[in-house]
Amino acid sequence: MQHQSFIAGKVVVDVGCGTGILAIFCAQAGAKRVYAVDASDIALQANEVVKANNLSDVIVVLHGRVEDVEIDEEVDVIISEWMGYMLLYESMLGSVITARDRWLKPGGLILPSNATLYMAPVTHSDRYSESVDFWRNVYGIDMSAMLSLAKQCAFEEPSVETITGENILTWPHVVKYIDCYSVTIPELETVTTGFKFNSMMRAPLHGFAFWFDVEFNGPAIPTSDYHSSTSFTENHLVNGSQRKKRTNPSEALVLSTAPEDPPTHWQQTLIYFYDPIELEQDQAIEGLVTLTQSKENARFMNIHLEYTSGGRSHVKESVMR
Amino acid sequence: MQHQSFIAGKVVVDVGCGTGILAIFCAQAGAKRVYAVDASDIALQANEVVKANNLSDVIVVLHGRVEDVEIDEEVDVIISEWMGYMLLYESMLGSVITARDRWLKPGGLILPSNATLYMAPVTHSDRYSESVDFWRNVYGIDMSAMLSLAKQCAFEEPSVETITGENILTWPHVVKYIDCYSVTIPELETVTTGFKFNSMMRAPLHGFAFWFDVEFNGPAIPTSDYHSSTSFTENHLVNGSQRKKRTNPSEALVLSTAPEDPPTHWQQTLIYFYDPIELEQDQAIEGLVTLTQSKENARFMNIHLEYTSGGRSHVKESVMR
């Protein structure tokens, strides 16, 4: 609704429309026509919802994959709620890219326009204690023999949970910045980044948190081609390195899933170590993280994490399933 | 510990020992020997826990199924935490029966000694509203077309959740009373019972709740054979019908998972209707419930529910997986 001026009178595609709610918002914002596309059977319900709200003359529900359905005109706007846990897990960004390349007009708008995946080191003694230290004394019985199994059960896989800003030990590092206008599908198959943090306090390091935000920016430069790199401006300082961000002529609209912001459906994704690292203030933690689509199952995401601190190196492999 | 007199100096089997905590409690209560049996690899950890607590001279961990492991003496006491959700879902009662028939001395003790599965009609408007009524108006949009799918998603399968005594519309009905001394494995394959409730108030009926309790009774009559029916006395009035309960010479020890008692790991199991029934005070609800082990997967439990109220009959099939 805050971008009503970009939608009124325009042709819109809603990629992965689900119940059709975003398509209906666009119709309410005055869209000329909205194509609501979903490959799942939810499209049947979406069609009923559209009819019940007397919007059949504006919204066309297409039951099929964006690769397969036909839209016989160029579109002005693509909207999509494509984000998965940790941004990229089970994400539908690939479908947005396909829709963009098939139908979006030059100079057309994509909402959200860009997304950023962040990571930061985390301290979370309560969480570690309840999963691990519990076993040191159970009704007076020494159950330390359970520790390695307990750690494996609790920390082998990534955990979607809500933490707070107080759990975060440094400014975040940008794992991946995605410009929805230029990102390609091959670019998403493997995402890798080196990182170096310096702990802002003395604390046990229990693992890393990942979260994301997405921005809903207007057109970069109204007359420019959407692939033009002149539509970027450096205005965002993260972790000591500058990254590029699309200019936003109106007030920036951001959906943040950061620990310091109100909790969302996506929460944060935590990768815990089996054993914490006792950090001194300013102690460095450096390493590498690589996210890859699993070969075992395309829905799964493999997370390869290497990290070094205090002269000791560690590797942790995990699978988000 | 309140049954220490029955355990001190005795030979005990812990069926499905897990981490070994009950076996260790028995050792602490003065058991002469405890066989801790578990088919899963947790037995390896249990063995380490036993060693760490210097109890290897008392506790023998046996890694295998009760059908397969060998114990070369009769046992005085069988203990087991065998109860599953809704008492019988993924329960290990079959293993307790096998252990009893293989090793228990005449006059020996089984803890818990008996178990009762209850059901009662439930009203729970908040739960129904958040799952169903939500869709009637989503940000001003009529999403009633989602209702049947929403009901299916929310209520097709049994739901393990915590309710309170205020959600219960009548005294409970006993679905199954299990005497651990006499129950047989075939008897558990299908459990069926007719029920008739009269609502104690005017309220929408949303479904049925199931819960259980188990009792830890001492020997029935110290000198009697444990199969003797003279060890029972009628002392428990439930839903207008009397049921039999083993006498308890010491104070009764009961683990209850009822809605009016403090919540436990087991919570309650709810079977919701797709549509509520508006009950008048004293209105009758009668029917039949049948619990059967699934043929599709032996771990699953099929729940067949027939109910009639206000002249209308309904059938609901659900699967607990």
Side-chain angles (χ1 to χ4, degrees), chain B residues 179-199:
Chain B
D179 173 18
C180 296
Y181 294 88
S182 59
V183 64
T184 62
I185 289 175
E187 193 183 325
L188 298 171
E189 283 166 7
T190 299
V191 169
T192 190
T193 183
F195 56 80
K196 180 170 180 180
F197 298 103
N198 291 293
S199 182

Side-chain angles (χ1 to χ4, degrees), chain B residues 270-287:
Chain B
L270 278 288
I271 297 183
Y272 287 105
F273 307 156
Y274 293 121
D275 296 293
I277 297 173
E278 297 297 331
L279 292 182
E280 300 298 327
Q281 186 164 344
D282 299 323
Q283 184 171 331
I285 316 112
E286 53 192 312

Side-chain angles (χ1 to χ4, degrees), chain A residues 19-21 24-25 28 42 45-46 48-49 52-53 135 138-146 148-149, chain B residues 19-21 24-25 28 42 45-46 48-49 52-53 135 138-146 148-149:
Chain A
T19 61
I21 191 161
I24 291 173
F25 287 156
Q28 289 176 339
I42 192 81
Q45 261 78 30
E48 294 305 311
V49 171
N53 290 275
W135 295 98
V138 183
Y139 298 101
I141 298 166
D142 173 9
M143 290 228 166
S144 303
M146 294 298 300
S148 78
L149 187 63
Chain B
T19 62
I21 192 162
I24 291 173
F25 288 156
Q28 289 176 340
I42 193 82
Q45 261 78 31
E48 295 303 311
V49 171
N53 290 275
W135 295 99
V138 182
Y139 298 101
I141 298 166
D142 173 7
M143 290 228 166
S144 303
M146 294 297 302
S148 80
L149 186 62

